[in-house]
């Protein structure tokens, strides 16, 4: 599968060519900050198959968490592009909203439902987890 995408202002662009691993909706409290309130929609992609073709995302990781994720974002417009998880060092977890065609996203997993808000909706058809599936 080929995926092209960019941040809101267009300074950062990327391309992916390979097999996505999973499509997840993450309801964790941290993602709520990044997404603006709703669950994050993301695809777990093999890092080796993804290239930033223009610009370089800035990174941020919290220092007060035991295993912080590293958040990649555009330093110009602030669009959240991706997350790196210490649990999956060879994966790039890309935000679906940055894809040229976000409609390719077919989530199969809803995770961190322990942090779900009353206004969130969960698709009953997909696998649900209080934290993570635990699988690689
Ligand atoms: Zn930007
Ligand atoms: Zn999350």
């Amino acid at each position: 599968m080929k995926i092209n995408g960019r941040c809101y202002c267009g300074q950062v662009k990327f391309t992916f060519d390979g097999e996505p691993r999973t499509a997840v909706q993450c309801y964790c409290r941290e993602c709520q900050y990044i997404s603006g309130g709703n669950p994050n929609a993301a695809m777990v992609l093999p890092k080796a198959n993804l290239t930033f073709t223009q610009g370089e995302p800035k990174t941020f990781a919290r220092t007060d968490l035991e295993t912080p994720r590293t958040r990649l974002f555009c330093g110009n417009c602030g669009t959240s592009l991706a997350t790196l998880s210490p649990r999956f060092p060879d994966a790039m977890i890309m935000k679906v909203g940055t894809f040229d065609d976000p409609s390719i996203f077919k989530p199969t997993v809803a995770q961190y439902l322990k942090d779900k808000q009353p206004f969130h909706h969960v698709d009953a058809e997909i696998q649900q987890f209080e934290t993570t599936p635990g699988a690689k």
Side-chain angles (χ1 to χ4, degrees), residues 53-70:
T53 51
Q54 184 186 299
E56 197 58 50
K58 285 201 184 315
T59 61
F60 173 80
R62 277 170 63 170
T63 53
D64 60 323
L65 297 176
E66 218 170 282
T67 53
R69 288 15 176 191
T70 300

Side-chain angles (χ1 to χ4, degrees), residues 7-11 74 76-77:
C7 66
Y8 186 54
C9 79
Q11 276 191 9
C74 171
N76 187 48
C77 71

Side-chain angles (χ1 to χ4, degrees), residues 5 10 21-22 30 51-52 67 81 85 88:
R21 289 191 192 146
T22 4
E30 289 73 33
T51 316
F52 285 99
T67 53
L81 292 149
S85 168
F88 311 108

Side-chain angles (χ1 to χ4, degrees), residues 80-101:
S80 176
L81 292 149
T83 303
L84 297 170
S85 168
R87 289 179 61 218
F88 311 108
D90 58 347
M92 186 76 87
I93 306 166
M94 294 302 295
K95 303 286 165 13
V96 171
T98 63
F99 295 176
D100 288 350
D101 180 12

Side-chain angles (χ1 to χ4, degrees), residues 7-43:
C7 66
Y8 186 54
C9 79
Q11 276 191 9
V12 179
K13 291 183 179 164
F14 62 87
T15 186
F16 170 83
D17 197 351
E19 277 313 303
R21 289 191 192 146
T22 4
V24 302
Q25 284 181 309
C26 186
Y27 290 76
C28 84
R29 185 67 186 93
E30 289 73 33
C31 280
Q32 292 171 29
Y33 282 97
I34 306 300
S35 75
N38 274 319
N40 243 329
M43 278 172 82

